[in-house]
Every structure is written in C-alpha cells, then in structure tokens.
Amino acid sequence: MSYAEQYQDRYQYDTLQSTAYTPSEVSYAEYSHYARRPQQNTELTSKFYQEIIKDALSKSGDVEPDIWCKIYYMERGQPIGKVYVRNYQVIVDSSTTQYDGLRLGIGAFKNPFRDDKIMKIREHIGKGLLLELDSDGTSIVATRLGRNDIIIKGYSNPANHSISEEVIQNLGKLDFETPVKIFDYKEFKSHMALESRRSEPEMDRLYPQLITSISFVRDSPDDLDTPCWISLINLAALKILQDRDVLKKVQRDMAQMALDRRRSCDLMEANSPNVLEENTKLGRQSQPGGLKKEDPARRSRIELRKNKKSIHESGLDYSWEDKFYDSRKFTFFSTIVA
C-alpha cells in the first residue's frame, strides 16, 4: 500500500494555476487530494521518502537537463504540492505569489484540513529563505531571509545526509542572511566513495542522500508531524549517481587515496621506529601496510564540531576518513529500483 493510500478519506480540492516556465514545472499529481492524516510513525515516514524517490526516478528521463531540484511543500504528513526548479535561485516565502520559477509563495497553497498550529506558523514564515545552486553545479546553498528559525533536518544523522559541517555545528539552524551549504557535493562524493569500497557496491543505498528537508519556524523529530516544511530532491546529484563514469572516477580516487595513505604510513614507520609501540599504547594497532585498525578522524571531527572549528583547518576532509558510515541504515531503500 502506497503512502497516499494510507489516507482513508479523500477530498478533491482546487489546485493552483502556475505561471511557471512550462506547465510541467508545477504539479500536484497523485498528491492533489487532501485528507485527514493518519497517526504518524517511522514506517509512514519511510514510505513517504521511498515514494518521492520512486517518483523522481520514474520521471528522471523526462526532466529537462537544466532542472536541478524538485521541491515538495508539506504540512505535517500532507504533501500539498510539488514544483520543479529551473532557475539557479528560488525564494520560498509566505507570500501568495504563485510559483513563477523564481519565487514559491506557500501562502498561495490551500488546505481545508490545516490546523491552528500550521496556520500560526505560516504567518511567521515571513521572507522565508533563498535556495540556490552552487557554482559546482550540484551543491545547494540556503540563506535565511526572515527573522524566524529555519532548521535543516538530519543534522544529527550525517550518515544519511550530505550536509555540510556548518549545518552540523549549528544544530541545523540557519543564521540570518548567512549562506550555508545544505547539500554538499564533496560530502556526497565521499559517501559514494565509501559505498564503492564495499565488495558489492549498490549506489541505490545512496538515494537518501539526495533528499534534504527543511522546517519552517518549528521542527519536529518526526518529519511527518512537522507543521510546515519542504523536502528537496537534488536532481543534479541524481544524474551524477546514475553516471557510471563518475562512479569509476570515484573508485579510482579511492584507490589512489588508499595507496597514498599506505605510502605515507610506511614512510612514517620507516622514519620512526617507535610508531608501532606508540600506536599499541593508544589502542590503535597497525594493520598490514601501515593502515591503522581504528582511525581517530571521526572522534577528531566530533571535537572540532564541539569547538566550532573548521575541519579543513585541521587537515581533515568530511566523510572520506569517517567510520560512522553504516549501510544498514539504508536498507529501507533497497527495494526502490526493480
């Protein structure tokens, strides 16, 4: 049973007419109806994300190449509408401006089952935020334009997201008029590299990385219980994930990195006879080739985040050296692609 079929009562409601560049850029499709939401749970949240990924995959061949993002506007567990983003910048705010490719005014969306809390939060979204495609053609940058909070979901679970260190340091909150990468292409590549290191790589496991969800004013641990939020699918990153040449390059980079690291460790051991003894005292015994059994990079990153220091300033680089990657967290996406 699909996520949409979880709703028992369905009501057809008038949809918006868009002034977007083409009619296909704004759509309500199977989510054009509204219904009283069921009791929220993890299973329903997983089903929702599975379905929007399925939808993106099924239409990936029909989407024009300059469209780089798809936005779902949500009120709790109800998908109210979805739009495609073509322009490299788009503003999401509380105005009643119909989506024209440059501005998405969520004040124009109607929902007959909107509760009081949702209505109150919508009134406080104000100028909202600016979303823009970074110069690398894949990263997404967000800037809070209003005075009230905007929170990036998933900051406490980086293994399932390609968010930047700034998002993690700020506990997901965007600072006023400060551009922050909410989808970091370097982090995404690092997850691709970690997956390619497996004996049988399955890039399908990385589909959760394509999704970035953002809460307006108030957040909730349960995504489908968040009053007002949007969920983005990075279509530019999806194209990269489907490009076999990119995967091969990432695998070559990983192989070269492992070789360079091995040489560096061998050289260090050759110049310092006491390295093995020191590693043993610290509980980090060496493996063949000079590779350490336990790399301290993840612990170092955690300490840097606590102190709000830049990872790059300390010679570390995102997840390439991290050990928090756990493929078991991606199993609920394993059935998306037939």
Side-chain angles (χ1 to χ4, degrees):
M1 183 179 293
S2 69
Y3 172 79
E5 291 172 344
Q6 301 295 315
Y7 294 105
Q8 299 299 319
D9 302 316
R10 299 188 176 187
Y11 298 83
Q12 192 68 33
Y13 204 82
D14 291 340
T15 58
L16 291 173
Q17 297 298 317
S18 173
T19 55
Y21 299 134
T22 64
S24 64
E25 289 185 28
V26 59
S27 173
Y28 296 82
E30 66 270 28
Y31 299 123
S32 61
H33 54 74
Y34 301 90
R36 295 179 177 87
R37 59 190 176 85
Q39 183 178 2
Q40 306 299 330
N41 54 53
T42 304
E43 182 180 356
L44 277 181
T45 302
S46 299
K47 284 184 177 180
F48 167 69
Y49 284 124
Q50 286 182 44
E51 290 205 359
I52 64 174
I53 285 291
K54 284 182 181 179
D55 185 52
L57 290 171
S58 66
K59 298 175 181 177
S60 60
D62 301 326
V63 175
E64 298 176 31
D66 55 344
I67 292 177
W68 57 273
C69 179
K70 188 173 186 177
I71 302 177
Y72 286 80
Y73 171 61
M74 304 286 299
E75 292 182 359
R76 300 197 190 277
Q78 299 179 11
I80 306 302
K82 54 186 177 181
V83 300
Y84 287 99
V85 181
R86 180 195 303 271
N87 195 61
Y88 80 98
Q89 287 185 337
V90 62
I91 292 175
V92 183
D93 60 17
S94 63
S95 70
T96 57
T97 302
Q98 295 182 356
Y99 180 59
D100 58 0
L102 300 174
R103 184 183 300 271
L104 175 60
I106 64 175
F109 290 98
K110 299 178 181 179
N111 178 4
F113 300 103
R114 184 174 293 146
D115 59 47
D116 292 341
K117 187 171 184 179
I118 293 175
M119 289 191 289
K120 184 175 181 180
I121 286 179
R122 281 166 55 93
E123 293 173 356
H124 288 82
I125 293 175
K127 295 181 179 180
L129 80 161
L130 170 69
L131 297 171
E132 52 189 328
L133 184 65
D134 195 49
S135 57
D136 62 18
T138 307
S139 296
I140 299 177
V141 177
T143 305
R144 176 165 69 89
L145 304 178
R147 64 179 182 177
N148 292 314
D149 285 343
I150 292 179
I151 305 98
I152 309 303
K153 289 179 172 290
Y155 65 86
S156 62
N157 183 18
N160 277 345
H161 301 85
S162 293
I163 53 181
S164 65
E165 61 174 301
E166 290 82 5
V167 173
I168 298 172
Q169 288 174 353
N170 292 331
L171 302 180
K173 291 186 177 182
L174 297 181
D175 292 330
F176 179 62
E177 293 187 344
T178 302
V180 175
K181 283 186 180 181
I182 60 173
F183 182 95
D184 193 329
Y185 180 43
K186 290 185 65 177
E187 183 73 356
F188 183 66
K189 285 203 303 182
S190 73
H191 284 290
M192 290 180 64
L194 289 166
E195 179 62 31
S196 69
R197 234 170 28 180
R198 296 165 54 90
S199 57
E200 296 182 2
E202 296 181 20
M203 291 300 150
D204 301 356
R205 300 175 189 270
L206 299 185
Y207 286 141
Q209 309 287 338
L210 303 174
I211 300 173
T212 304
S213 295
I214 305 172
S215 304
F216 292 102
V217 186
R218 292 287 183 272
D219 192 23
S220 171
D222 182 353
D223 291 358
L224 298 186
D225 198 36
T226 304
C228 293
W229 57 294
I230 57 176
S231 194
L232 319 178
I233 299 182
N234 191 328
L235 300 180
L238 175 59
K239 294 173 185 177
I240 290 174
L241 199 57
Q242 295 174 327
D243 191 332
R244 294 300 175 185
D245 291 336
V246 174
L247 175 58
K248 290 177 181 178
K249 183 179 185 303
V250 170
Q251 291 173 328
R252 289 196 300 269
D253 291 344
M254 279 296 294
Q256 185 62 47
M257 180 177 292
L259 179 61
D260 293 343
R261 185 179 176 191
R262 185 175 295 111
R263 288 173 177 170
S264 177
C265 290
D266 287 344
L267 181 60
M268 183 176 7
E269 289 189 355
N271 295 333
S272 303
N274 296 326
V275 167
L276 181 60
E277 180 181 351
E278 293 174 0
N279 285 340
T280 303
K281 291 179 181 178
L282 294 174
R284 301 192 298 271
Q285 302 204 4
S286 296
Q287 291 180 335
L291 290 176
K292 296 176 182 177
K293 184 176 181 179
E294 180 179 293
D295 195 291
R298 180 189 179 191
R299 184 169 60 254
S300 300
R301 284 185 63 180
I302 293 173
E303 292 301 321
L304 288 170
R305 287 168 187 161
K306 288 181 179 179
N307 297 327
K308 291 195 174 182
K309 294 180 180 179
S310 172
I311 289 177
H312 296 297
E313 291 177 0
S314 301
L316 301 177
D317 189 16
Y318 296 100
S319 294
W320 294 95
E321 303 292 340
D322 269 2
K323 302 300 180 184
F324 61 68
Y325 182 80
D326 184 353
S327 62
R328 291 175 297 177
K329 296 179 181 178
F330 299 89
T331 54
F332 71 90
F333 275 85
S334 60
T335 59
I336 288 181
V337 179

